[in-house]
Amino acid sequence: MLAGATAGLAAVVLGGCGGVGRATHRIRLAAATAGDGVLLNQALAVEQRAIAAYTAAGPLLPGIQQQAARLFLSQELQHAGELRKLVKLTGAKAHDPEPRYDLGQPHGAAQLLELLHEVERQQLAAYLTVLPRVSSPELRRALAAIMANDAQHVSVLRALQGSSALAGPFPSAAQ
Amino acid sequence: MSALGTGAGGQSPVRRQIAAGFAAPPPGAGDAAQLRRLLAYEELAIAVGGLALTSGMLLPATAELVRSLQRQETAHARALSALPGVTPPAPLQGRAEVQVALSAIGIKLALEPPLDERHWMTLLAELETRLEGVYYHALGLLGESGPASLAASILASEAQHSVALALWRYPGDIGLTVGSALVQGAPPPRA
């Protein structure tokens, strides 16, 4: 079984909060609600699963696929860092990564890529659910910037799997 | 003098009208004004794609990519047009008006003499970056969650367009294909 063992990953995620984000959001969240914290934590939990998946699968991939996985892992860490900051701004406690993630039993590069593709699709689904429900335009914009990057990951993974980088005009969990 | 010509008094009415469609709405203008601006950007992307496709400079595979992008931009424009209060801008007529519109959003690349394939793809990539920027900007201002969700979804689509164009321009270089963890694009002009 491929499992994302993340007992030590929390520290990595926290490290992502610091200086790695070139672009960060300056957000005033005076009007943020407790519900925002819950919603942001939902997105954070999905990002943390993606981090576990890239951490576990990336080293098993060859060549340019591994290069992509390494880059995407670093970007997922930045997403998690951004979300943790936003959760804290709402006054809530940020969700910690699970100690272990069941990632199935992928064999070979094709199945590993499909795993990563599925993880990215789950992220798109999560953002499309959470984004309309947060309370402020600033939060929606912050989430949209992250979701758009995850949509880019989907495009590259599609291309690496031999499909067109472009799916539909409105990214969704079906891409 | 053409309708686009600049007279002694400054910009022609057509130039001013085109530029106004891309200008930032005044503070408090409301969601419809933000959405009309987004629609103007989409219409420009469609127009530029059309010029590229009729230029005769694109190889078949490249033309197919541009047609795919155009289909998606058209879907975005239709979705925006369907929202209440969003009236479409007057269609851009020909290369000269497209040039004015590109200048209005800060793209200085001259469309004359005719561009070769790589220049068209570079222009389209630059345009996608501007689209990302204007959507990102609008998302901080849209008050209603419905239009904001649509804008967020289209921002993600434009970001995917950037990937498709980067894969064409920099094959094999993933770092240039997905450069930033937060897609914010290029900031739109203020006025």
Side-chain angles (χ1 to χ4, degrees), chain A residues 152 169 171, chain B residues 42 45 69 72-73 76 127-129 131-132 135 153-163 165 183:
Chain A
Q152 291 183 312
Chain B
E42 294 287 353
L69 296 173
Q72 298 203 356
E73 306 295 12
H76 300 163
L127 194 47
E128 291 295 348
T129 306
L131 280 158
E132 291 168 4
Y135 275 97
S153 186
I154 298 177
L155 169 61
S157 175
E158 306 299 355
Q160 291 187 322
H161 294 182
S162 291
V163 166
L165 290 163
V183 176

mmCIF file with all atom_site columns, all heavy atoms in Angstrom, chain A residues 152 169 171, chain B residues 42 45 69 72-73 76 127-129 131-132 135 153-163 165 183:
data_model
loop_
_atom_site.group_PDB
_atom_site.id
_atom_site.type_symbol
_atom_site.label_atom_id
_atom_site.label_alt_id
_atom_site.label_comp_id
_atom_site.label_asym_id
_atom_site.label_entity_id
_atom_site.label_seq_id
_atom_site.pdbx_PDB_ins_code
_atom_site.Cartn_x
_atom_site.Cartn_y
_atom_site.Cartn_z
_atom_site.occupancy
_atom_site.B_iso_or_equiv
_atom_site.pdbx_formal_charge
_atom_site.auth_seq_id
_atom_site.auth_comp_id
_atom_site.auth_asym_id
_atom_site.auth_atom_id
_atom_site.pdbx_PDB_model_num
ATOM 1   N N   . GLN A 1 152 ? -3.960  24.277 -12.811 1.00 0.00 ? 152 GLN A N   1
ATOM 2   C CA  . GLN A 1 152 ? -2.778  24.151 -13.667 1.00 0.00 ? 152 GLN A CA  1
ATOM 3   C C   . GLN A 1 152 ? -2.108  22.795 -13.471 1.00 0.00 ? 152 GLN A C   1
ATOM 4   O O   . GLN A 1 152 ? -1.634  22.177 -14.437 1.00 0.00 ? 152 GLN A O   1
ATOM 5   C CB  . GLN A 1 152 ? -1.792  25.282 -13.360 1.00 0.00 ? 152 GLN A CB  1
ATOM 6   C CG  . GLN A 1 152 ? -2.298  26.655 -13.789 1.00 0.00 ? 152 GLN A CG  1
ATOM 7   C CD  . GLN A 1 152 ? -1.284  27.750 -13.552 1.00 0.00 ? 152 GLN A CD  1
ATOM 8   O OE1 . GLN A 1 152 ? -0.692  27.845 -12.469 1.00 0.00 ? 152 GLN A OE1 1
ATOM 9   N NE2 . GLN A 1 152 ? -1.074  28.584 -14.549 1.00 0.00 ? 152 GLN A NE2 1
ATOM 10  N N   . PRO A 1 169 ? -14.158 24.408 -20.374 1.00 0.00 ? 169 PRO A N   1
ATOM 11  C CA  . PRO A 1 169 ? -13.925 25.831 -20.110 1.00 0.00 ? 169 PRO A CA  1
ATOM 12  C C   . PRO A 1 169 ? -14.126 26.216 -18.644 1.00 0.00 ? 169 PRO A C   1
ATOM 13  O O   . PRO A 1 169 ? -13.742 27.319 -18.248 1.00 0.00 ? 169 PRO A O   1
ATOM 14  C CB  . PRO A 1 169 ? -14.951 26.534 -21.003 1.00 0.00 ? 169 PRO A CB  1
ATOM 15  C CG  . PRO A 1 169 ? -16.028 25.539 -21.221 1.00 0.00 ? 169 PRO A CG  1
ATOM 16  C CD  . PRO A 1 169 ? -15.376 24.189 -21.174 1.00 0.00 ? 169 PRO A CD  1
ATOM 17  N N   . PRO A 1 171 ? -13.181 24.591 -15.124 1.00 0.00 ? 171 PRO A N   1
ATOM 18  C CA  . PRO A 1 171 ? -12.537 23.474 -14.417 1.00 0.00 ? 171 PRO A CA  1
ATOM 19  C C   . PRO A 1 171 ? -13.445 22.879 -13.347 1.00 0.00 ? 171 PRO A C   1
ATOM 20  O O   . PRO A 1 171 ? -14.128 23.591 -12.620 1.00 0.00 ? 171 PRO A O   1
ATOM 21  C CB  . PRO A 1 171 ? -11.309 24.131 -13.789 1.00 0.00 ? 171 PRO A CB  1
ATOM 22  C CG  . PRO A 1 171 ? -10.989 25.260 -14.716 1.00 0.00 ? 171 PRO A CG  1
ATOM 23  C CD  . PRO A 1 171 ? -12.326 25.764 -15.195 1.00 0.00 ? 171 PRO A CD  1
ATOM 24  N N   . GLU B 2 42  ? -12.522 39.108 -22.401 1.00 0.00 ? 42  GLU B N   1
ATOM 25  C CA  . GLU B 2 42  ? -12.799 37.853 -23.114 1.00 0.00 ? 42  GLU B CA  1
ATOM 26  C C   . GLU B 2 42  ? -13.006 38.108 -24.611 1.00 0.00 ? 42  GLU B C   1
ATOM 27  O O   . GLU B 2 42  ? -12.515 37.349 -25.459 1.00 0.00 ? 42  GLU B O   1
ATOM 28  C CB  . GLU B 2 42  ? -14.043 37.169 -22.519 1.00 0.00 ? 42  GLU B CB  1
ATOM 29  C CG  . GLU B 2 42  ? -13.893 36.672 -21.097 1.00 0.00 ? 42  GLU B CG  1
ATOM 30  C CD  . GLU B 2 42  ? -13.011 35.436 -20.984 1.00 0.00 ? 42  GLU B CD  1
ATOM 31  O OE1 . GLU B 2 42  ? -12.614 34.862 -22.019 1.00 0.00 ? 42  GLU B OE1 1
ATOM 32  O OE2 . GLU B 2 42  ? -12.708 35.053 -19.832 1.00 0.00 ? 42  GLU B OE2 1
ATOM 33  N N   . ALA B 2 45  ? -9.756  38.546 -26.236 1.00 0.00 ? 45  ALA B N   1
ATOM 34  C CA  . ALA B 2 45  ? -9.056  37.266 -26.438 1.00 0.00 ? 45  ALA B CA  1
ATOM 35  C C   . ALA B 2 45  ? -9.621  36.527 -27.646 1.00 0.00 ? 45  ALA B C   1
ATOM 36  O O   . ALA B 2 45  ? -8.874  35.926 -28.433 1.00 0.00 ? 45  ALA B O   1
ATOM 37  C CB  . ALA B 2 45  ? -9.164  36.403 -25.176 1.00 0.00 ? 45  ALA B CB  1
ATOM 38  N N   . LEU B 2 69  ? -8.637  27.129 -27.415 1.00 0.00 ? 69  LEU B N   1
ATOM 39  C CA  . LEU B 2 69  ? -8.657  28.282 -26.507 1.00 0.00 ? 69  LEU B CA  1
ATOM 40  C C   . LEU B 2 69  ? -9.835  29.195 -26.836 1.00 0.00 ? 69  LEU B C   1
ATOM 41  O O   . LEU B 2 69  ? -10.547 29.666 -25.940 1.00 0.00 ? 69  LEU B O   1
ATOM 42  C CB  . LEU B 2 69  ? -7.347  29.070 -26.614 1.00 0.00 ? 69  LEU B CB  1
ATOM 43  C CG  . LEU B 2 69  ? -6.073  28.327 -26.184 1.00 0.00 ? 69  LEU B CG  1
ATOM 44  C CD1 . LEU B 2 69  ? -4.834  29.164 -26.504 1.00 0.00 ? 69  LEU B CD1 1
ATOM 45  C CD2 . LEU B 2 69  ? -6.115  28.012 -24.694 1.00 0.00 ? 69  LEU B CD2 1
ATOM 46  N N   . GLN B 2 72  ? -13.129 27.985 -25.597 1.00 0.00 ? 72  GLN B N   1
ATOM 47  C CA  . GLN B 2 72  ? -13.305 28.175 -24.160 1.00 0.00 ? 72  GLN B CA  1
ATOM 48  C C   . GLN B 2 72  ? -13.546 29.642 -23.821 1.00 0.00 ? 72  GLN B C   1
ATOM 49  O O   . GLN B 2 72  ? -14.367 29.951 -22.948 1.00 0.00 ? 72  GLN B O   1
ATOM 50  C CB  . GLN B 2 72  ? -12.088 27.609 -23.406 1.00 0.00 ? 72  GLN B CB  1
ATOM 51  C CG  . GLN B 2 72  ? -11.936 26.108 -23.616 1.00 0.00 ? 72  GLN B CG  1
ATOM 52  C CD  . GLN B 2 72  ? -11.148 25.409 -22.540 1.00 0.00 ? 72  GLN B CD  1
ATOM 53  O OE1 . GLN B 2 72  ? -10.619 26.039 -21.632 1.00 0.00 ? 72  GLN B OE1 1
ATOM 54  N NE2 . GLN B 2 72  ? -11.080 24.089 -22.618 1.00 0.00 ? 72  GLN B NE2 1
ATOM 55  N N   . GLU B 2 73  ? -12.832 30.550 -24.497 1.00 0.00 ? 73  GLU B N   1
ATOM 56  C CA  . GLU B 2 73  ? -13.072 31.982 -24.244 1.00 0.00 ? 73  GLU B CA  1
ATOM 57  C C   . GLU B 2 73  ? -14.507 32.339 -24.629 1.00 0.00 ? 73  GLU B C   1
ATOM 58  O O   . GLU B 2 73  ? -15.158 33.147 -23.962 1.00 0.00 ? 73  GLU B O   1
ATOM 59  C CB  . GLU B 2 73  ? -12.093 32.865 -25.040 1.00 0.00 ? 73  GLU B CB  1
ATOM 60  C CG  . GLU B 2 73  ? -10.603 32.570 -24.871 1.00 0.00 ? 73  GLU B CG  1
ATOM 61  C CD  . GLU B 2 73  ? -10.057 32.819 -23.478 1.00 0.00 ? 73  GLU B CD  1
ATOM 62  O OE1 . GLU B 2 73  ? -10.844 33.015 -22.542 1.00 0.00 ? 73  GLU B OE1 1
ATOM 63  O OE2 . GLU B 2 73  ? -8.820  32.786 -23.323 1.00 0.00 ? 73  GLU B OE2 1
ATOM 64  N N   . HIS B 2 76  ? -16.717 31.291 -21.882 1.00 0.00 ? 76  HIS B N   1
ATOM 65  C CA  . HIS B 2 76  ? -16.622 32.246 -20.767 1.00 0.00 ? 76  HIS B CA  1
ATOM 66  C C   . HIS B 2 76  ? -17.464 33.485 -21.070 1.00 0.00 ? 76  HIS B C   1
ATOM 67  O O   . HIS B 2 76  ? -18.202 33.975 -20.207 1.00 0.00 ? 76  HIS B O   1
ATOM 68  C CB  . HIS B 2 76  ? -15.166 32.694 -20.562 1.00 0.00 ? 76  HIS B CB  1
ATOM 69  C CG  . HIS B 2 76  ? -14.225 31.590 -20.238 1.00 0.00 ? 76  HIS B CG  1
ATOM 70  N ND1 . HIS B 2 76  ? -12.844 31.730 -20.355 1.00 0.00 ? 76  HIS B ND1 1
ATOM 71  C CD2 . HIS B 2 76  ? -14.424 30.311 -19.810 1.00 0.00 ? 76  HIS B CD2 1
ATOM 72  C CE1 . HIS B 2 76  ? -12.263 30.593 -20.011 1.00 0.00 ? 76  HIS B CE1 1
ATOM 73  N NE2 . HIS B 2 76  ? -13.198 29.717 -19.678 1.00 0.00 ? 76  HIS B NE2 1
ATOM 74  N N   . LEU B 2 127 ? -1.595  37.783 -23.230 1.00 0.00 ? 127 LEU B N   1
ATOM 75  C CA  . LEU B 2 127 ? -3.010  38.092 -23.034 1.00 0.00 ? 127 LEU B CA  1
ATOM 76  C C   . LEU B 2 127 ? -3.604  37.248 -21.905 1.00 0.00 ? 127 LEU B C   1
ATOM 77  O O   . LEU B 2 127 ? -4.398  37.745 -21.091 1.00 0.00 ? 127 LEU B O   1
ATOM 78  C CB  . LEU B 2 127 ? -3.740  37.846 -24.355 1.00 0.00 ? 127 LEU B CB  1
ATOM 79  C CG  . LEU B 2 127 ? -5.150  38.384 -24.546 1.00 0.00 ? 127 LEU B CG  1
ATOM 80  C CD1 . LEU B 2 127 ? -5.297  39.828 -24.104 1.00 0.00 ? 127 LEU B CD1 1
ATOM 81  C CD2 . LEU B 2 127 ? -5.540  38.241 -26.018 1.00 0.00 ? 127 LEU B CD2 1
ATOM 82  N N   . GLU B 2 128 ? -3.235  35.988 -21.836 1.00 0.00 ? 128 GLU B N   1
ATOM 83  C CA  . GLU B 2 128 ? -3.740  35.132 -20.757 1.00 0.00 ? 128 GLU B CA  1
ATOM 84  C C   . GLU B 2 128 ? -3.298  35.660 -19.390 1.00 0.00 ? 128 GLU B C   1
ATOM 85  O O   . GLU B 2 128 ? -4.057  35.614 -18.426 1.00 0.00 ? 128 GLU B O   1
ATOM 86  C CB  . GLU B 2 128 ? -3.272  33.688 -20.932 1.00 0.00 ? 128 GLU B CB  1
ATOM 87  C CG  . GLU B 2 128 ? -3.893  32.947 -22.111 1.00 0.00 ? 128 GLU B CG  1
ATOM 88  C CD  . GLU B 2 128 ? -5.398  32.737 -21.993 1.00 0.00 ? 128 GLU B CD  1
ATOM 89  O OE1 . GLU B 2 128 ? -5.949  32.950 -20.901 1.00 0.00 ? 128 GLU B OE1 1
ATOM 90  O OE2 . GLU B 2 128 ? -6.009  32.376 -23.012 1.00 0.00 ? 128 GLU B OE2 1
ATOM 91  N N   . THR B 2 129 ? -2.056  36.141 -19.330 1.00 0.00 ? 129 THR B N   1
ATOM 92  C CA  . THR B 2 129 ? -1.577  36.700 -18.064 1.00 0.00 ? 129 THR B CA  1
ATOM 93  C C   . THR B 2 129 ? -2.409  37.915 -17.659 1.00 0.00 ? 129 THR B C   1
ATOM 94  O O   . THR B 2 129 ? -2.718  38.120 -16.480 1.00 0.00 ? 129 THR B O   1
ATOM 95  C CB  . THR B 2 129 ? -0.099  37.093 -18.188 1.00 0.00 ? 129 THR B CB  1
ATOM 96  O OG1 . THR B 2 129 ? 0.637   35.958 -18.646 1.00 0.00 ? 129 THR B OG1 1
ATOM 97  C CG2 . THR B 2 129 ? 0.474   37.540 -16.863 1.00 0.00 ? 129 THR B CG2 1
ATOM 98  N N   . LEU B 2 131 ? -5.536  38.414 -18.584 1.00 0.00 ? 131 LEU B N   1
ATOM 99  C CA  . LEU B 2 131 ? -6.849  37.889 -18.189 1.00 0.00 ? 131 LEU B CA  1
ATOM 100 C C   . LEU B 2 131 ? -6.809  37.387 -16.740 1.00 0.00 ? 131 LEU B C   1
ATOM 101 O O   . LEU B 2 131 ? -7.712  37.670 -15.947 1.00 0.00 ? 131 LEU B O   1
ATOM 102 C CB  . LEU B 2 131 ? -7.265  36.755 -19.135 1.00 0.00 ? 131 LEU B CB  1
ATOM 103 C CG  . LEU B 2 131 ? -7.850  37.212 -20.479 1.00 0.00 ? 131 LEU B CG  1
ATOM 104 C CD1 . LEU B 2 131 ? -7.728  36.105 -21.525 1.00 0.00 ? 131 LEU B CD1 1
ATOM 105 C CD2 . LEU B 2 131 ? -9.312  37.598 -20.335 1.00 0.00 ? 131 LEU B CD2 1
ATOM 106 N N   . GLU B 2 132 ? -5.769  36.637 -16.406 1.00 0.00 ? 132 GLU B N   1
ATOM 107 C CA  . GLU B 2 132 ? -5.647  36.174 -15.020 1.00 0.00 ? 132 GLU B CA  1
ATOM 108 C C   . GLU B 2 132 ? -5.668  37.377 -14.070 1.00 0.00 ? 132 GLU B C   1
ATOM 109 O O   . GLU B 2 132 ? -6.340  37.356 -13.036 1.00 0.00 ? 132 GLU B O   1
ATOM 110 C CB  . GLU B 2 132 ? -4.338  35.404 -14.825 1.00 0.00 ? 132 GLU B CB  1
ATOM 111 C CG  . GLU B 2 132 ? -4.264  34.055 -15.526 1.00 0.00 ? 132 GLU B CG  1
ATOM 112 C CD  . GLU B 2 132 ? -2.856  33.483 -15.543 1.00 0.00 ? 132 GLU B CD  1
ATOM 113 O OE1 . GLU B 2 132 ? -1.933  34.100 -14.947 1.00 0.00 ? 132 GLU B OE1 1
ATOM 114 O OE2 . GLU B 2 132 ? -2.666  32.423 -16.163 1.00 0.00 ? 132 GLU B OE2 1
ATOM 115 N N   . TYR B 2 135 ? -9.160  39.041 -13.707 1.00 0.00 ? 135 TYR B N   1
ATOM 116 C CA  . TYR B 2 135 ? -10.072 38.207 -12.920 1.00 0.00 ? 135 TYR B CA  1
ATOM 117 C C   . TYR B 2 135 ? -9.669  38.226 -11.439 1.00 0.00 ? 135 TYR B C   1
ATOM 118 O O   . TYR B 2 135 ? -10.524 38.320 -10.549 1.00 0.00 ? 135 TYR B O   1
ATOM 119 C CB  . TYR B 2 135 ? -10.099 36.763 -13.453 1.00 0.00 ? 135 TYR B CB  1
ATOM 120 C CG  . TYR B 2 135 ? -11.081 36.584 -14.589 1.00 0.00 ? 135 TYR B CG  1
ATOM 121 C CD1 . TYR B 2 135 ? -10.662 36.620 -15.906 1.00 0.00 ? 135 TYR B CD1 1
ATOM 122 C CD2 . TYR B 2 135 ? -12.445 36.409 -14.348 1.00 0.00 ? 135 TYR B CD2 1
ATOM 123 C CE1 . TYR B 2 135 ? -11.553 36.479 -16.959 1.00 0.00 ? 135 TYR B CE1 1
ATOM 124 C CE2 . TYR B 2 135 ? -13.339 36.264 -15.389 1.00 0.00 ? 135 TYR B CE2 1
ATOM 125 C CZ  . TYR B 2 135 ? -12.891 36.296 -16.693 1.00 0.00 ? 135 TYR B CZ  1
ATOM 126 O OH  . TYR B 2 135 ? -13.796 36.173 -17.720 1.00 0.00 ? 135 TYR B OH  1
ATOM 127 N N   . SER B 2 153 ? -13.900 30.332 -11.322 1.00 0.00 ? 153 SER B N   1
ATOM 128 C CA  . SER B 2 153 ? -13.806 29.185 -12.226 1.00 0.00 ? 153 SER B CA  1
ATOM 129 C C   . SER B 2 153 ? -13.123 29.595 -13.538 1.00 0.00 ? 153 SER B C   1
ATOM 130 O O   . SER B 2 153 ? -12.289 28.854 -14.089 1.00 0.00 ? 153 SER B O   1
ATOM 131 C CB  . SER B 2 153 ? -15.219 28.657 -12.479 1.00 0.00 ? 153 SER B CB  1
ATOM 132 O OG  . SER B 2 153 ? -15.181 27.490 -13.229 1.00 0.00 ? 153 SER B OG  1
ATOM 133 N N   . ILE B 2 154 ? -13.462 30.781 -14.029 1.00 0.00 ? 154 ILE B N   1
ATOM 134 C CA  . ILE B 2 154 ? -12.829 31.236 -15.274 1.00 0.00 ? 154 ILE B CA  1
ATOM 135 C C   . ILE B 2 154 ? -11.347 31.569 -15.034 1.00 0.00 ? 154 ILE B C   1
ATOM 136 O O   . ILE B 2 154 ? -10.503 31.293 -15.899 1.00 0.00 ? 154 ILE B O   1
ATOM 137 C CB  . ILE B 2 154 ? -13.588 32.439 -15.870 1.00 0.00 ? 154 ILE B CB  1
ATOM 138 C CG1 . ILE B 2 154 ? -15.029 32.033 -16.214 1.00 0.00 ? 154 ILE B CG1 1
ATOM 139 C CG2 . ILE B 2 154 ? -12.878 32.956 -17.112 1.00 0.00 ? 154 ILE B CG2 1
ATOM 140 C CD1 . ILE B 2 154 ? -15.897 33.165 -16.756 1.00 0.00 ? 154 ILE B CD1 1
ATOM 141 N N   . LEU B 2 155 ? -11.038 32.149 -13.878 1.00 0.00 ? 155 LEU B N   1
ATOM 142 C CA  . LEU B 2 155 ? -9.619  32.376 -13.567 1.00 0.00 ? 155 LEU B CA  1
ATOM 143 C C   . LEU B 2 155 ? -8.842  31.057 -13.655 1.00 0.00 ? 155 LEU B C   1
ATOM 144 O O   . LEU B 2 155 ? -7.743  30.998 -14.235 1.00 0.00 ? 155 LEU B O   1
ATOM 145 C CB  . LEU B 2 155 ? -9.465  32.985 -12.170 1.00 0.00 ? 155 LEU B CB  1
ATOM 146 C CG  . LEU B 2 155 ? -8.044  33.044 -11.598 1.00 0.00 ? 155 LEU B CG  1
ATOM 147 C CD1 . LEU B 2 155 ? -7.124  33.900 -12.480 1.00 0.00 ? 155 LEU B CD1 1
ATOM 148 C CD2 . LEU B 2 155 ? -8.045  33.594 -10.166 1.00 0.00 ? 155 LEU B CD2 1
ATOM 149 N N   . ALA B 2 156 ? -9.417  30.002 -13.101 1.00 0.00 ? 156 ALA B N   1
ATOM 150 C CA  . ALA B 2 156 ? -8.745  28.699 -13.162 1.00 0.00 ? 156 ALA B CA  1
ATOM 151 C C   . ALA B 2 156 ? -8.591  28.228 -14.607 1.00 0.00 ? 156 ALA B C   1
ATOM 152 O O   . ALA B 2 156 ? -7.565  27.647 -14.991 1.00 0.00 ? 156 ALA B O   1
ATOM 153 C CB  . ALA B 2 156 ? -9.525  27.673 -12.343 1.00 0.00 ? 156 ALA B CB  1
ATOM 154 N N   . SER B 2 157 ? -9.605  28.502 -15.416 1.00 0.00 ? 157 SER B N   1
ATOM 155 C CA  . SER B 2 157 ? -9.524  28.108 -16.828 1.00 0.00 ? 157 SER B CA  1
ATOM 156 C C   . SER B 2 157 ? -8.438  28.903 -17.554 1.00 0.00 ? 157 SER B C   1
ATOM 157 O O   . SER B 2 157 ? -7.646  28.347 -18.334 1.00 0.00 ? 157 SER B O   1
ATOM 158 C CB  . SER B 2 157 ? -10.882 28.329 -17.500 1.00 0.00 ? 157 SER B CB  1
ATOM 159 O OG  . SER B 2 157 ? -10.814 28.059 -18.881 1.00 0.00 ? 157 SER B OG  1
ATOM 160 N N   . GLU B 2 158 ? -8.385  30.221 -17.292 1.00 0.00 ? 158 GLU B N   1
ATOM 161 C CA  . GLU B 2 158 ? -7.336  31.039 -17.935 1.00 0.00 ? 158 GLU B CA  1
ATOM 162 C C   . GLU B 2 158 ? -5.949  30.548 -17.507 1.00 0.00 ? 158 GLU B C   1
ATOM 163 O O   . GLU B 2 158 ? -5.002  30.537 -18.309 1.00 0.00 ? 158 GLU B O   1
ATOM 164 C CB  . GLU B 2 158 ? -7.506  32.519 -17.589 1.00 0.00 ? 158 GLU B CB  1
ATOM 165 C CG  . GLU B 2 158 ? -8.877  33.129 -17.881 1.00 0.00 ? 158 GLU B CG  1
ATOM 166 C CD  . GLU B 2 158 ? -9.295  33.094 -19.345 1.00 0.00 ? 158 GLU B CD  1
ATOM 167 O OE1 . GLU B 2 158 ? -8.489  32.683 -20.203 1.00 0.00 ? 158 GLU B OE1 1
ATOM 168 O OE2 . GLU B 2 158 ? -10.448 33.465 -19.638 1.00 0.00 ? 158 GLU B OE2 1
ATOM 169 N N   . ALA B 2 159 ? -5.842  30.138 -16.249 1.00 0.00 ? 159 ALA B N   1
ATOM 170 C CA  . ALA B 2 159 ? -4.560  29.613 -15.765 1.00 0.00 ? 159 ALA B CA  1
ATOM 171 C C   . ALA B 2 159 ? -4.194  28.333 -16.519 1.00 0.00 ? 159 ALA B C   1
ATOM 172 O O   . ALA B 2 159 ? -3.012  28.079 -16.817 1.00 0.00 ? 159 ALA B O   1
ATOM 173 C CB  . ALA B 2 159 ? -4.642  29.350 -14.262 1.00 0.00 ? 159 ALA B CB  1
ATOM 174 N N   . GLN B 2 160 ? -5.204  27.541 -16.848 1.00 0.00 ? 160 GLN B N   1
ATOM 175 C CA  . GLN B 2 160 ? -4.935  26.336 -17.652 1.00 0.00 ? 160 GLN B CA  1
ATOM 176 C C   . GLN B 2 160 ? -4.535  26.708 -19.082 1.00 0.00 ? 160 GLN B C   1
ATOM 177 O O   . GLN B 2 160 ? -3.688  26.046 -19.686 1.00 0.00 ? 160 GLN B O   1
ATOM 178 C CB  . GLN B 2 160 ? -6.164  25.426 -17.655 1.00 0.00 ? 160 GLN B CB  1
ATOM 179 C CG  . GLN B 2 160 ? -6.433  24.782 -16.299 1.00 0.00 ? 160 GLN B CG  1
ATOM 180 C CD  . GLN B 2 160 ? -7.559  23.754 -16.336 1.00 0.00 ? 160 GLN B CD  1
ATOM 181 O OE1 . GLN B 2 160 ? -8.555  23.942 -17.035 1.00 0.00 ? 160 GLN B OE1 1
ATOM 182 N NE2 . GLN B 2 160 ? -7.407  22.681 -15.575 1.00 0.00 ? 160 GLN B NE2 1
ATOM 183 N N   . HIS B 2 161 ? -5.133  27.770 -19.599 1.00 0.00 ? 161 HIS B N   1
ATOM 184 C CA  . HIS B 2 161 ? -4.707  28.235 -20.925 1.00 0.00 ? 161 HIS B CA  1
ATOM 185 C C   . HIS B 2 161 ? -3.223  28.611 -20.905 1.00 0.00 ? 161 HIS B C   1
ATOM 186 O O   . HIS B 2 161 ? -2.481  28.320 -21.852 1.00 0.00 ? 161 HIS B O   1
ATOM 187 C CB  . HIS B 2 161 ? -5.524  29.458 -21.353 1.00 0.00 ? 161 HIS B CB  1
ATOM 188 C CG  . HIS B 2 161 ? -6.978  29.179 -21.575 1.00 0.00 ? 161 HIS B CG  1
ATOM 189 N ND1 . HIS B 2 161 ? -7.871  30.140 -22.002 1.00 0.00 ? 161 HIS B ND1 1
ATOM 190 C CD2 . HIS B 2 161 ? -7.710  28.042 -21.416 1.00 0.00 ? 161 HIS B CD2 1
ATOM 191 C CE1 . HIS B 2 161 ? -9.077  29.608 -22.116 1.00 0.00 ? 161 HIS B CE1 1
ATOM 192 N NE2 . HIS B 2 161 ? -9.005  28.346 -21.752 1.00 0.00 ? 161 HIS B NE2 1
ATOM 193 N N   . SER B 2 162 ? -2.824  29.283 -19.841 1.00 0.00 ? 162 SER B N   1
ATOM 194 C CA  . SER B 2 162 ? -1.408  29.665 -19.732 1.00 0.00 ? 162 SER B CA  1
ATOM 195 C C   . SER B 2 162 ? -0.508  28.430 -19.757 1.00 0.00 ? 162 SER B C   1
ATOM 196 O O   . SER B 2 162 ? 0.568   28.444 -20.358 1.00 0.00 ? 162 SER B O   1
ATOM 197 C CB  . SER B 2 162 ? -1.164  30.463 -18.439 1.00 0.00 ? 162 SER B CB  1
ATOM 198 O OG  . SER B 2 162 ? -1.782  31.724 -18.526 1.00 0.00 ? 162 SER B OG  1
ATOM 199 N N   . VAL B 2 163 ? -0.965  27.373 -19.097 1.00 0.00 ? 163 VAL B N   1
ATOM 200 C CA  . VAL B 2 163 ? -0.194  26.127 -19.105 1.00 0.00 ? 163 VAL B CA  1
ATOM 201 C C   . VAL B 2 163 ? -0.106  25.560 -20.525 1.00 0.00 ? 163 VAL B C   1
ATOM 202 O O   . VAL B 2 163 ? 0.976   25.174 -20.997 1.00 0.00 ? 163 VAL B O   1
ATOM 203 C CB  . VAL B 2 163 ? -0.827  25.084 -18.160 1.00 0.00 ? 163 VAL B CB  1
ATOM 204 C CG1 . VAL B 2 163 ? -0.259  23.691 -18.419 1.00 0.00 ? 163 VAL B CG1 1
ATOM 205 C CG2 . VAL B 2 163 ? -0.585  25.476 -16.713 1.00 0.00 ? 163 VAL B CG2 1
ATOM 206 N N   . LEU B 2 165 ? -0.332  27.056 -23.350 1.00 0.00 ? 165 LEU B N   1
ATOM 207 C CA  . LEU B 2 165 ? 0.545   27.883 -24.187 1.00 0.00 ? 165 LEU B CA  1
ATOM 208 C C   . LEU B 2 165 ? 2.013   27.717 -23.780 1.00 0.00 ? 165 LEU B C   1
ATOM 209 O O   . LEU B 2 165 ? 2.904   27.690 -24.635 1.00 0.00 ? 165 LEU B O   1
ATOM 210 C CB  . LEU B 2 165 ? 0.116   29.351 -24.096 1.00 0.00 ? 165 LEU B CB  1
ATOM 211 C CG  . LEU B 2 165 ? -1.224  29.647 -24.779 1.00 0.00 ? 165 LEU B CG  1
ATOM 212 C CD1 . LEU B 2 165 ? -1.798  30.993 -24.305 1.00 0.00 ? 165 LEU B CD1 1
ATOM 213 C CD2 . LEU B 2 165 ? -1.054  29.675 -26.298 1.00 0.00 ? 165 LEU B CD2 1
ATOM 214 N N   . VAL B 2 183 ? -1.987  32.006 -8.445  1.00 0.00 ? 183 VAL B N   1
ATOM 215 C CA  . VAL B 2 183 ? -2.196  32.605 -9.767  1.00 0.00 ? 183 VAL B CA  1
ATOM 216 C C   . VAL B 2 183 ? -2.846  33.976 -9.592  1.00 0.00 ? 183 VAL B C   1
ATOM 217 O O   . VAL B 2 183 ? -4.003  34.069 -9.160  1.00 0.00 ? 183 VAL B O   1
ATOM 218 C CB  . VAL B 2 183 ? -3.090  31.697 -10.638 1.00 0.00 ? 183 VAL B CB  1
ATOM 219 C CG1 . VAL B 2 183 ? -3.381  32.375 -11.968 1.00 0.00 ? 183 VAL B CG1 1
ATOM 220 C CG2 . VAL B 2 183 ? -2.410  30.348 -10.871 1.00 0.00 ? 183 VAL B CG2 1
#
